[in-house]
Amino acid sequence: MPLSLTALWRALRANAVTVASLAAAALSFLLVRNPGAWWQAIDLRTLNLLFCLMFVVAGLRECCLFRVLAQRLLAGRTRFRSLAHTLVQLPFWVAMVATNDVALIALVPFAVYALDRLGLRHRLPGLIALQTVAANLGSMATPVGNPQNLFLYTAHLIPPGDFFAATLPVAFAGALLLFGLTHALRDEPIDFRFEHHRTLTHRPQAALCGILFALCLLTVFRLLPHAWLFVTVLAAALLFCRTALRQVDFALLLTFVGFFVFSHNLGQIDAVRDLLTRLLEDHTQATAAVASQALSNVPAAVLLSPFTDDWRGLLWGADIGAFGTPVASLASLISLGLYLREPGARPWRYLLLFTLLNLAFLLPLSALTLLLD
């Protein structure tokens, strides 16, 4: 196969969800006679906020902020259980402000490095599975923790108090369970030293990204107009941080565009609209959770959102639906991919541990939302 075709195939495979969303959007035009003003279904506020947040996080990652944070928390003589708690808790807290994807991209390689230095690579599958669960748990707590939260928070105009009343009890109940499972790991003494101590680089860029992140939060909570934020962040990116701009996940933005259009066109088909409306009328959370297992929770939230006003059920279904198959959350696929790149990776062992862990969170957290509803 020619090199160009090989590169194209790799690009398509790496962005399979994006390709699927755009293909679904294109095919949906064949199913409806009159799609109407389909372009109005594209939620520019969500897209602008996602772009700005992804740029800011990429800029902070360039400054080694997450590596410095992890290194300062991990160094020293301790026990494995204490190290595991730190490696698992870090993705939980980082995901709240930097998304679950970024938390895992930044911290899974750090866990691999730590366990490799300690000669404990055989404990990687369980630890990375715990990190993945932690990132998905932490990300559900805030509007900026993951893309589906940001979309639902924006699209349904959820009041901040109502949003946190729905998410914080579930996230922190999960955190308690996570702490218990991590504490059950077999313990042993360790002494962890770093050959090279990382320091914060590009300090002016770090300060600029910190200011832009504060502006992003103000915009998320509707205190600033999103168009103004977009222009400000884009200008800062072009003038000062072009390398970080190239790290923005534009494929994710295109994924949202595809599913915005696909959802709109499906809504023009009477039979489909009636079916989804009936399913979501009494079983919003279950429908979103099941759809997440096959589609991933971001597309599931975008697809189902136009057919119900039950934002709480959608939010719980999409967030708790992340605990299931590796496909249920894009973040879970990221950590799986990072693990499989490692020499001596044991895919079936990882998938078994991952599945058992996810069931341990999916069932009790779903039961908790029944009590909160």
Side-chain angles (χ1 to χ4, degrees), residues 195-278:
E195 295 175 359
H196 305 288
H197 287 276
R198 288 187 177 271
T199 57
L200 191 66
T201 60
H202 307 97
R203 290 178 181 273
Q205 177 175 314
L208 174 63
C209 289
I211 294 170
L212 293 176
F213 182 68
L215 295 178
C216 287
L217 292 181
L218 291 174
T219 307
V220 166
F221 293 110
R222 307 183 185 98
L223 298 176
L224 290 176
H226 68 90
W228 181 88
L229 175 72
F230 175 78
V231 171
T232 302
V233 170
L234 183 60
L238 293 174
L239 290 172
F240 305 111
C241 311
R242 293 187 182 182
T243 55
L245 185 61
R246 289 196 289 269
Q247 296 177 42
V248 170
D249 189 354
F250 291 101
L252 178 60
L253 299 178
L254 284 175
T255 300
F256 268 84
V257 171
F259 278 107
F260 283 143
V261 175
F262 179 63
S263 299
H264 169 81
N265 288 349
L266 276 187
Q268 308 306 305
I269 304 173
D270 293 338
V272 174
R273 183 175 62 248
D274 293 343
L275 174 62
L276 289 177
T277 301
R278 284 199 304 272

Side-chain angles (χ1 to χ4, degrees), residues 64 75-76 95 113 115 134 143 206 244 268 287 301 310 321 364:
C64 298
Y113 170 75
L115 267 62
Q268 308 306 305
T287 303
D310 182 10

Side-chain angles (χ1 to χ4, degrees), residues 13-360:
R13 188 173 60 180
N15 298 286
V17 176
T18 303
V19 173
S21 73
L22 295 177
L27 290 173
S28 67
F29 283 101
L30 302 177
L31 303 176
V32 292
R33 295 180 179 178
N34 181 22
W38 56 268
W39 57 89
Q40 294 181 2
I42 300 174
D43 188 339
L44 290 180
R45 176 182 166 82
T46 297
L47 295 177
N48 283 347
L49 283 169
L50 269 177
F51 166 80
C52 294
L53 286 165
M54 286 191 291
F55 166 76
V56 167
V57 170
L60 292 173
R61 193 167 61 231
E62 271 193 343
C63 302
C64 298
L65 175 66
F66 304 117
R67 288 295 183 94
V68 170
L69 173 65
Q71 194 174 85
R72 290 183 179 178
L73 288 172
L74 292 175
R77 181 173 296 175
T78 182
R79 300 188 68 82
F80 178 80
R81 190 176 290 159
S82 177
L83 173 69
H85 275 301
T86 303
L87 287 171
V88 171
Q89 291 298 320
L90 274 173
F92 177 84
W93 295 104
V94 170
M96 288 188 184
V97 294
T99 76
N100 48 0
D101 296 358
V102 168
L104 293 171
I105 289 170
L107 296 170
V108 166
F110 204 82
V112 172
Y113 170 75
L115 267 62
D116 188 45
R117 287 285 310 278
L118 294 168
L120 298 172
R121 291 185 66 90
H122 62 283
R123 306 190 73 166
L124 266 179
L127 192 62
I128 293 178
L130 283 167
Q131 284 187 305
T132 306
V133 168
N136 284 329
L137 273 173
S139 71
M140 74 167 60
T142 67
V144 298
N146 56 51
Q148 74 268 13
N149 277 17
L150 183 61
F151 165 69
L152 293 172
Y153 181 84
T154 300
H156 290 265
L157 300 175
I158 305 172
D162 292 348
F163 179 91
F164 288 116
T167 60
L168 290 182
V170 181
F172 285 104
L176 290 175
L177 177 57
L178 181 69
F179 182 89
L181 290 172
T182 307
H183 202 70
L185 294 174
R186 181 170 54 84
D187 202 13
E188 57 186 292
I190 58 172
D191 189 4
F192 194 59
R193 305 293 178 188
F194 292 93
E195 295 175 359
H196 305 288
H197 287 276
R198 288 187 177 271
T199 57
L200 191 66
T201 60
H202 307 97
R203 290 178 181 273
Q205 177 175 314
L208 174 63
C209 289
I211 294 170
L212 293 176
F213 182 68
L215 295 178
C216 287
L217 292 181
L218 291 174
T219 307
V220 166
F221 293 110
R222 307 183 185 98
L223 298 176
L224 290 176
H226 68 90
W228 181 88
L229 175 72
F230 175 78
V231 171
T232 302
V233 170
L234 183 60
L238 293 174
L239 290 172
F240 305 111
C241 311
R242 293 187 182 182
T243 55
L245 185 61
R246 289 196 289 269
Q247 296 177 42
V248 170
D249 189 354
F250 291 101
L252 178 60
L253 299 178
L254 284 175
T255 300
F256 268 84
V257 171
F259 278 107
F260 283 143
V261 175
F262 179 63
S263 299
H264 169 81
N265 288 349
L266 276 187
Q268 308 306 305
I269 304 173
D270 293 338
V272 174
R273 183 175 62 248
D274 293 343
L275 174 62
L276 289 177
T277 301
R278 284 199 304 272
L279 282 173
L280 292 167
E281 186 174 1
D282 298 316
H283 308 288
T284 305
Q285 182 176 338
T287 303
V290 171
S292 296
Q293 303 308 309
L295 298 176
S296 184
N297 51 8
V298 175
V302 176
L303 175 64
L304 299 175
S305 178
F307 303 101
T308 181
D309 294 324
D310 182 10
W311 62 263
R312 190 175 281 99
L314 273 181
L315 187 65
W316 283 336
D319 281 349
I320 298 175
F323 304 109
T325 66
V327 177
S329 168
L330 296 178
S332 299
L333 288 176
I334 287 172
S335 58
L336 173 62
L338 290 170
Y339 173 68
L340 292 180
R341 292 176 194 169
E342 292 303 311
R346 302 170 66 183
W348 292 111
R349 175 176 170 77
Y350 177 83
L351 289 172
L352 175 61
L353 290 171
F354 175 87
T355 302
L356 292 174
L357 269 175
N358 275 263
L359 287 175

